Amino acid sequence: PRLAEIGTPEQIVNNAIQSGVNGMVTICCRIADEFPEVLGIAKQFDHVWCTVGTHPHDAGKPSEKAVTLEQLVKIAKSDPKIVGIGESGLDYYYKNSTPEDQEISFRKHIRACLETDLPLVVHARDADEDIIRVIREESPDDRLRGVMHCFSSGRKMAEEALELGFYISFSGIVTFKSAKELQEIAKMVPLDRILIETDAPYLAPEPLRGKVNEPANVVHTGRF
């Protein structure tokens, strides 16, 4: 809804293209009631792709728990516009779902990735040790591919993720003057393992901090 303050999906995509952004991924947080719209947006634009998955905040919802591994795999294979699975993971800060429900959902998403060979989009907040533990348990042969979305964890988490072969994705947070530790972590991540993102409509980078974020603004994070 906040992106509507900027304009229509067409205007948002055009803004991004004019800024030099030639590819965008729109993220699914609820399979049951959100995914059809997410896929519809991806199919509407040549420059947009999408994911399918259940955010940890929603992992305890009956409609999301009802989605089986087999159904998730089938959906993920259903359209070439679907390029990843998630956003999934663990969030012990808000705990909108129980840690138990989150871990069950997270494991389901990892298994779907291994069956489809699609990358996992990982949400991690105050749960670094359990994130790495679950990934290593579910993918002991390191076959799992993925990205640590909107990275704001510590150096140990970054090192573990890189060891697993994951990408580290930085949002506008890395441009904030207060994010000194995150900036040091970004310096040590190999360039071929860095991704950048908006996490729109949140976390607009400097010099737009506090404003509604949109894909066009990722260029500021990239320059930083």
Side-chain angles (χ1 to χ4, degrees):
R2 288 188 66 196
L3 283 177
E5 299 175 27
I6 302 169
T8 64
E10 290 84 357
Q11 290 170 322
I12 293 168
V13 171
N14 286 337
N15 288 346
I17 294 169
Q18 290 172 11
S19 293
V21 177
N22 56 21
M24 292 153 271
V25 177
T26 182
I27 299 295
C28 177
C29 293
R30 295 183 304 279
I31 300 170
D33 63 357
E34 184 181 82
F35 177 68
E37 181 181 4
V38 168
L39 179 60
I41 290 172
K43 295 179 77 165
Q44 184 180 351
F45 302 101
D46 291 340
H47 297 76
V48 181
W49 290 263
C50 73
T51 67
V52 58
T54 301
H55 193 286
H57 289 346
D58 301 301
K61 292 184 176 179
S63 58
E64 295 301 305
K65 294 171 75 171
V67 179
T68 65
L69 171 61
E70 292 74 21
Q71 288 171 325
L72 179 55
V73 168
K74 184 177 180 180
I75 295 169
K77 290 180 175 180
S78 67
D79 196 286
K81 277 286 188 169
I82 303 167
V83 296
I85 292 178
E87 174 179 344
S88 181
L90 303 174
D91 190 316
Y92 295 168
Y93 180 82
Y94 286 108
K95 292 186 179 177
N96 289 341
S97 295
T98 66
E100 292 77 16
D101 280 341
Q102 291 183 44
E103 183 167 326
I104 290 169
S105 178
F106 190 34
R107 289 182 185 275
K108 177 174 66 178
H109 284 69
I110 293 172
R111 292 169 188 174
C113 288
L114 294 173
E115 285 198 35
T116 59
D117 194 34
L118 288 174
L120 179 67
V121 180
V122 178
H123 174 104
R125 188 157 188 189
D126 288 0
D128 293 1
E129 289 187 9
D130 282 352
I131 288 277
I132 296 299
R133 173 182 60 81
V134 171
I135 289 175
R136 292 197 184 279
E137 289 175 357
E138 291 292 335
S139 180
D141 54 1
D142 292 345
R143 282 197 302 120
L144 183 66
R145 301 184 299 130
V147 54
M148 295 299 175
H149 144 77
C150 195
F151 190 84
S152 59
S153 299
R155 178 178 289 268
K156 186 176 187 298
M157 177 70 153
E159 291 172 345
E160 293 267 16
L162 290 170
E163 184 178 321
L164 289 167
F166 274 56
Y167 289 82
I168 308 292
S169 184
F170 295 98
S171 69
I173 294 175
V174 77
T175 70
F176 299 170
K177 293 178 181 178
S178 58
K180 299 301 182 185
E181 181 182 359
L182 189 61
Q183 290 165 9
E184 291 303 312
I185 292 170
K187 290 178 183 178
M188 71 92 172
V189 177
L191 281 176
D192 63 356
R193 285 290 159 182
I194 286 180
L195 296 176
I196 52 174
E197 63 176 278
T198 56
D199 199 37
Y202 312 108
L203 304 177
E206 297 288 0
L208 305 170
R209 186 174 182 181
K211 296 184 178 180
V212 179
N213 205 4
E214 62 174 305
N217 297 340
V218 79
V219 297
H220 296 289
T221 305
R223 289 192 188 106
F224 185 86

Short mmCIF file of all heavy atoms in Angstrom, two decimals, residues 18-57:
data_model
loop_
_atom_site.label_atom_id
_atom_site.label_comp_id
_atom_site.label_asym_id
_atom_site.label_seq_id
_atom_site.Cartn_x
_atom_site.Cartn_y
_atom_site.Cartn_z
N GLN A 18 14.33 3.83 -15.79
CA GLN A 18 14.94 5.11 -16.12
C GLN A 18 16.14 5.40 -15.23
O GLN A 18 17.04 6.15 -15.62
CB GLN A 18 13.90 6.22 -16.01
CG GLN A 18 12.84 6.17 -17.11
CD GLN A 18 11.71 7.17 -16.89
OE1 GLN A 18 11.82 8.05 -16.03
NE2 GLN A 18 10.64 7.02 -17.66
N SER A 19 16.18 4.80 -14.04
CA SER A 19 17.31 5.00 -13.13
C SER A 19 18.47 4.05 -13.43
O SER A 19 19.52 4.14 -12.81
CB SER A 19 16.86 4.80 -11.68
OG SER A 19 15.98 5.82 -11.29
N GLY A 20 18.24 3.11 -14.36
CA GLY A 20 19.29 2.17 -14.72
C GLY A 20 19.13 0.80 -14.12
O GLY A 20 20.02 -0.05 -14.24
N VAL A 21 18.01 0.55 -13.47
CA VAL A 21 17.73 -0.78 -12.90
C VAL A 21 17.09 -1.64 -13.99
O VAL A 21 16.03 -1.29 -14.50
CB VAL A 21 16.78 -0.66 -11.68
CG1 VAL A 21 16.44 -2.05 -11.14
CG2 VAL A 21 17.40 0.21 -10.60
N ASN A 22 17.72 -2.75 -14.33
CA ASN A 22 17.18 -3.55 -15.43
C ASN A 22 16.58 -4.89 -14.98
O ASN A 22 16.23 -5.72 -15.82
CB ASN A 22 18.23 -3.80 -16.52
CG ASN A 22 19.48 -4.46 -15.96
OD1 ASN A 22 19.45 -5.08 -14.91
ND2 ASN A 22 20.58 -4.33 -16.68
N GLY A 23 16.45 -5.09 -13.67
CA GLY A 23 15.81 -6.30 -13.20
C GLY A 23 15.34 -6.15 -11.77
O GLY A 23 16.05 -5.58 -10.94
N MET A 24 14.14 -6.60 -11.49
CA MET A 24 13.56 -6.50 -10.15
C MET A 24 12.89 -7.80 -9.77
O MET A 24 12.34 -8.49 -10.63
CB MET A 24 12.51 -5.37 -10.10
CG MET A 24 13.09 -3.97 -10.25
SD MET A 24 11.89 -2.80 -10.95
CE MET A 24 12.23 -3.03 -12.72
N VAL A 25 12.92 -8.12 -8.47
CA VAL A 25 12.22 -9.29 -7.96
C VAL A 25 11.18 -8.82 -6.94
O VAL A 25 11.52 -8.08 -6.01
CB VAL A 25 13.19 -10.27 -7.28
CG1 VAL A 25 12.41 -11.46 -6.69
CG2 VAL A 25 14.23 -10.76 -8.27
N THR A 26 9.93 -9.22 -7.15
CA THR A 26 8.90 -8.90 -6.18
C THR A 26 8.67 -10.14 -5.31
O THR A 26 8.54 -11.25 -5.80
CB THR A 26 7.59 -8.44 -6.87
OG1 THR A 26 6.63 -8.09 -5.86
CG2 THR A 26 7.01 -9.48 -7.80
N ILE A 27 8.68 -9.91 -4.00
CA ILE A 27 8.78 -11.01 -3.04
C ILE A 27 7.41 -11.42 -2.52
O ILE A 27 6.58 -10.56 -2.20
CB ILE A 27 9.67 -10.60 -1.85
CG1 ILE A 27 11.08 -10.25 -2.33
CG2 ILE A 27 9.72 -11.69 -0.79
CD1 ILE A 27 11.86 -11.42 -2.90
N CYS A 28 7.21 -12.72 -2.41
CA CYS A 28 5.97 -13.26 -1.85
C CYS A 28 6.16 -13.52 -0.36
O CYS A 28 7.16 -14.12 0.06
CB CYS A 28 5.60 -14.56 -2.56
SG CYS A 28 4.13 -15.37 -1.90
N CYS A 29 5.19 -13.08 0.45
CA CYS A 29 5.25 -13.32 1.89
C CYS A 29 4.14 -14.25 2.38
O CYS A 29 4.25 -14.84 3.44
CB CYS A 29 5.14 -11.99 2.65
SG CYS A 29 6.57 -10.90 2.42
N ARG A 30 3.07 -14.37 1.59
CA ARG A 30 1.97 -15.28 1.94
C ARG A 30 1.51 -15.98 0.66
O ARG A 30 1.03 -15.33 -0.26
CB ARG A 30 0.80 -14.52 2.56
CG ARG A 30 1.13 -13.87 3.90
CD ARG A 30 -0.10 -13.19 4.51
NE ARG A 30 -0.69 -12.22 3.62
CZ ARG A 30 -0.25 -10.98 3.45
NH1 ARG A 30 0.81 -10.56 4.12
NH2 ARG A 30 -0.85 -10.16 2.62
N ILE A 31 1.65 -17.29 0.63
CA ILE A 31 1.30 -18.05 -0.56
C ILE A 31 -0.20 -18.03 -0.79
O ILE A 31 -0.68 -17.83 -1.92
CB ILE A 31 1.79 -19.50 -0.44
CG1 ILE A 31 3.31 -19.54 -0.27
CG2 ILE A 31 1.37 -20.32 -1.66
CD1 ILE A 31 3.86 -20.90 0.10
N ALA A 32 -0.98 -18.21 0.29
CA ALA A 32 -2.42 -18.43 0.16
C ALA A 32 -3.16 -17.23 -0.43
O ALA A 32 -4.00 -17.38 -1.31
CB ALA A 32 -3.01 -18.80 1.52
N ASP A 33 -2.84 -16.03 0.05
CA ASP A 33 -3.64 -14.89 -0.38
C ASP A 33 -2.87 -13.81 -1.13
O ASP A 33 -3.47 -12.84 -1.60
CB ASP A 33 -4.37 -14.25 0.81
CG ASP A 33 -3.40 -13.68 1.85
OD1 ASP A 33 -2.17 -13.82 1.67
OD2 ASP A 33 -3.88 -13.11 2.84
N GLU A 34 -1.55 -13.97 -1.26
CA GLU A 34 -0.75 -12.92 -1.89
C GLU A 34 -0.11 -13.36 -3.20
O GLU A 34 0.08 -12.55 -4.11
CB GLU A 34 0.34 -12.46 -0.92
CG GLU A 34 1.18 -11.31 -1.41
CD GLU A 34 2.26 -10.92 -0.41
OE1 GLU A 34 3.32 -11.58 -0.40
OE2 GLU A 34 2.03 -9.96 0.36
N PHE A 35 0.24 -14.64 -3.30
CA PHE A 35 1.04 -15.09 -4.44
C PHE A 35 0.40 -14.83 -5.79
O PHE A 35 1.11 -14.40 -6.73
CB PHE A 35 1.40 -16.57 -4.31
CG PHE A 35 2.16 -17.08 -5.51
CD1 PHE A 35 3.44 -16.63 -5.77
CD2 PHE A 35 1.56 -17.95 -6.41
CE1 PHE A 35 4.14 -17.06 -6.89
CE2 PHE A 35 2.25 -18.38 -7.53
CZ PHE A 35 3.53 -17.94 -7.77
N PRO A 36 -0.90 -15.05 -6.00
CA PRO A 36 -1.47 -14.79 -7.33
C PRO A 36 -1.22 -13.35 -7.81
O PRO A 36 -0.90 -13.13 -8.98
CB PRO A 36 -2.96 -15.06 -7.14
CG PRO A 36 -3.00 -16.09 -6.04
CD PRO A 36 -1.90 -15.68 -5.10
N GLU A 37 -1.33 -12.39 -6.89
CA GLU A 37 -1.08 -10.99 -7.26
C GLU A 37 0.40 -10.76 -7.56
O GLU A 37 0.76 -10.06 -8.52
CB GLU A 37 -1.54 -10.05 -6.14
CG GLU A 37 -1.34 -8.58 -6.48
CD GLU A 37 -1.77 -7.65 -5.36
OE1 GLU A 37 -2.15 -8.15 -4.27
OE2 GLU A 37 -1.71 -6.42 -5.56
N VAL A 38 1.26 -11.36 -6.75
CA VAL A 38 2.70 -11.23 -6.96
C VAL A 38 3.10 -11.78 -8.33
O VAL A 38 3.83 -11.13 -9.10
CB VAL A 38 3.47 -11.96 -5.83
CG1 VAL A 38 4.95 -12.08 -6.17
CG2 VAL A 38 3.30 -11.21 -4.51
N LEU A 39 2.63 -12.97 -8.66
CA LEU A 39 2.94 -13.56 -9.96
C LEU A 39 2.34 -12.73 -11.08
O LEU A 39 2.98 -12.55 -12.13
CB LEU A 39 2.41 -14.99 -10.03
CG LEU A 39 2.65 -15.73 -11.35
CD1 LEU A 39 4.14 -15.83 -11.66
CD2 LEU A 39 2.01 -17.11 -11.32
N GLY A 40 1.15 -12.19 -10.87
CA GLY A 40 0.53 -11.35 -11.89
C GLY A 40 1.36 -10.13 -12.22
O GLY A 40 1.49 -9.75 -13.40
N ILE A 41 1.94 -9.52 -11.20
CA ILE A 41 2.81 -8.36 -11.43
C ILE A 41 4.05 -8.78 -12.21
O ILE A 41 4.47 -8.10 -13.15
CB ILE A 41 3.19 -7.71 -10.09
CG1 ILE A 41 1.97 -7.03 -9.46
CG2 ILE A 41 4.32 -6.69 -10.27
CD1 ILE A 41 2.20 -6.52 -8.05
N ALA A 42 4.65 -9.89 -11.83
CA ALA A 42 5.85 -10.37 -12.52
C ALA A 42 5.56 -10.66 -13.99
O ALA A 42 6.38 -10.33 -14.87
CB ALA A 42 6.39 -11.61 -11.83
N LYS A 43 4.43 -11.24 -14.27
CA LYS A 43 4.09 -11.60 -15.65
C LYS A 43 3.71 -10.37 -16.49
O LYS A 43 3.76 -10.41 -17.71
CB LYS A 43 2.96 -12.63 -15.66
CG LYS A 43 3.38 -13.96 -15.04
CD LYS A 43 2.26 -14.97 -15.04
CE LYS A 43 2.07 -15.57 -16.42
NZ LYS A 43 1.24 -16.80 -16.37
N GLN A 44 3.35 -9.31 -15.80
CA GLN A 44 2.93 -8.09 -16.51
C GLN A 44 4.11 -7.32 -17.10
O GLN A 44 3.97 -6.62 -18.09
CB GLN A 44 2.16 -7.19 -15.53
CG GLN A 44 1.59 -5.92 -16.17
CD GLN A 44 0.84 -5.07 -15.15
OE1 GLN A 44 0.59 -5.50 -14.01
NE2 GLN A 44 0.47 -3.87 -15.55
N PHE A 45 5.31 -7.49 -16.48
CA PHE A 45 6.46 -6.67 -16.87
C PHE A 45 7.65 -7.55 -17.26
O PHE A 45 7.97 -8.51 -16.56
CB PHE A 45 6.87 -5.75 -15.72
CG PHE A 45 5.79 -4.82 -15.26
CD1 PHE A 45 5.07 -5.10 -14.11
CD2 PHE A 45 5.46 -3.69 -15.99
CE1 PHE A 45 4.06 -4.26 -13.67
CE2 PHE A 45 4.46 -2.83 -15.56
CZ PHE A 45 3.75 -3.11 -14.41
N ASP A 46 8.32 -7.17 -18.34
CA ASP A 46 9.49 -7.92 -18.79
C ASP A 46 10.64 -7.86 -17.79
O ASP A 46 11.46 -8.78 -17.73
CB ASP A 46 9.99 -7.37 -20.14
CG ASP A 46 9.02 -7.66 -21.27
OD1 ASP A 46 8.18 -8.58 -21.12
OD2 ASP A 46 9.10 -6.96 -22.30
N HIS A 47 10.71 -6.79 -17.01
CA HIS A 47 11.85 -6.56 -16.13
C HIS A 47 11.63 -7.08 -14.71
O HIS A 47 12.46 -6.83 -13.83
CB HIS A 47 12.17 -5.07 -16.06
CG HIS A 47 12.58 -4.47 -17.36
ND1 HIS A 47 11.69 -4.19 -18.37
CD2 HIS A 47 13.80 -4.12 -17.84
CE1 HIS A 47 12.34 -3.68 -19.40
NE2 HIS A 47 13.61 -3.62 -19.11
N VAL A 48 10.50 -7.76 -14.47
CA VAL A 48 10.16 -8.16 -13.11
C VAL A 48 9.99 -9.68 -13.02
O VAL A 48 9.36 -10.29 -13.88
CB VAL A 48 8.86 -7.47 -12.64
CG1 VAL A 48 8.52 -7.89 -11.20
CG2 VAL A 48 8.99 -5.95 -12.71
N TRP A 49 10.58 -10.26 -11.96
CA TRP A 49 10.41 -11.68 -11.64
C TRP A 49 9.88 -11.77 -10.21
O TRP A 49 9.69 -10.75 -9.55
CB TRP A 49 11.75 -12.40 -11.76
CG TRP A 49 12.21 -12.53 -13.18
CD1 TRP A 49 12.05 -13.61 -14.01
CD2 TRP A 49 12.89 -11.53 -13.96
NE1 TRP A 49 12.59 -13.34 -15.25
CE2 TRP A 49 13.12 -12.08 -15.26
CE3 TRP A 49 13.32 -10.23 -13.72
CZ2 TRP A 49 13.74 -11.38 -16.27
CZ3 TRP A 49 13.96 -9.52 -14.72
CH2 TRP A 49 14.17 -10.10 -15.98
N CYS A 50 9.61 -12.98 -9.73
CA CYS A 50 9.04 -13.09 -8.39
C CYS A 50 9.51 -14.34 -7.67
O CYS A 50 10.16 -15.21 -8.26
CB CYS A 50 7.51 -13.07 -8.45
SG CYS A 50 6.75 -14.58 -9.08
N THR A 51 9.17 -14.42 -6.39
CA THR A 51 9.40 -15.61 -5.59
C THR A 51 8.05 -16.14 -5.10
O THR A 51 7.02 -15.49 -5.25
CB THR A 51 10.27 -15.31 -4.36
OG1 THR A 51 9.53 -14.44 -3.47
CG2 THR A 51 11.58 -14.65 -4.75
N VAL A 52 8.09 -17.32 -4.49
CA VAL A 52 6.90 -17.85 -3.81
C VAL A 52 7.34 -18.37 -2.45
O VAL A 52 8.36 -19.07 -2.34
CB VAL A 52 6.23 -18.97 -4.64
CG1 VAL A 52 7.17 -20.12 -4.93
CG2 VAL A 52 4.97 -19.46 -3.94
N GLY A 53 6.61 -17.98 -1.42
CA GLY A 53 7.00 -18.44 -0.10
C GLY A 53 6.20 -17.80 1.02
O GLY A 53 5.37 -16.91 0.78
N THR A 54 6.48 -18.25 2.24
CA THR A 54 5.80 -17.77 3.45
C THR A 54 6.81 -17.09 4.36
O THR A 54 7.79 -17.70 4.79
CB THR A 54 5.15 -18.94 4.21
OG1 THR A 54 4.21 -19.60 3.35
CG2 THR A 54 4.44 -18.45 5.46
N HIS A 55 6.58 -15.82 4.63
CA HIS A 55 7.43 -15.05 5.54
C HIS A 55 7.32 -15.64 6.95
O HIS A 55 6.26 -16.13 7.34
CB HIS A 55 6.95 -13.60 5.54
CG HIS A 55 7.89 -12.63 6.16
ND1 HIS A 55 8.08 -12.55 7.53
CD2 HIS A 55 8.70 -11.69 5.62
CE1 HIS A 55 8.96 -11.59 7.80
NE2 HIS A 55 9.35 -11.06 6.66
N PRO A 56 8.40 -15.62 7.73
CA PRO A 56 8.31 -16.16 9.09
C PRO A 56 7.22 -15.51 9.94
O PRO A 56 6.66 -16.16 10.83
CB PRO A 56 9.71 -15.92 9.67
CG PRO A 56 10.39 -14.97 8.75
CD PRO A 56 9.78 -15.18 7.41
N HIS A 57 6.90 -14.24 9.68
CA HIS A 57 5.82 -13.61 10.43
C HIS A 57 4.50 -14.35 10.23
O HIS A 57 3.63 -14.33 11.11
CB HIS A 57 5.63 -12.16 9.96
CG HIS A 57 6.72 -11.23 10.38
ND1 HIS A 57 7.66 -11.53 11.34
CD2 HIS A 57 7.02 -9.96 9.96
CE1 HIS A 57 8.49 -10.52 11.50
NE2 HIS A 57 8.13 -9.55 10.67
#
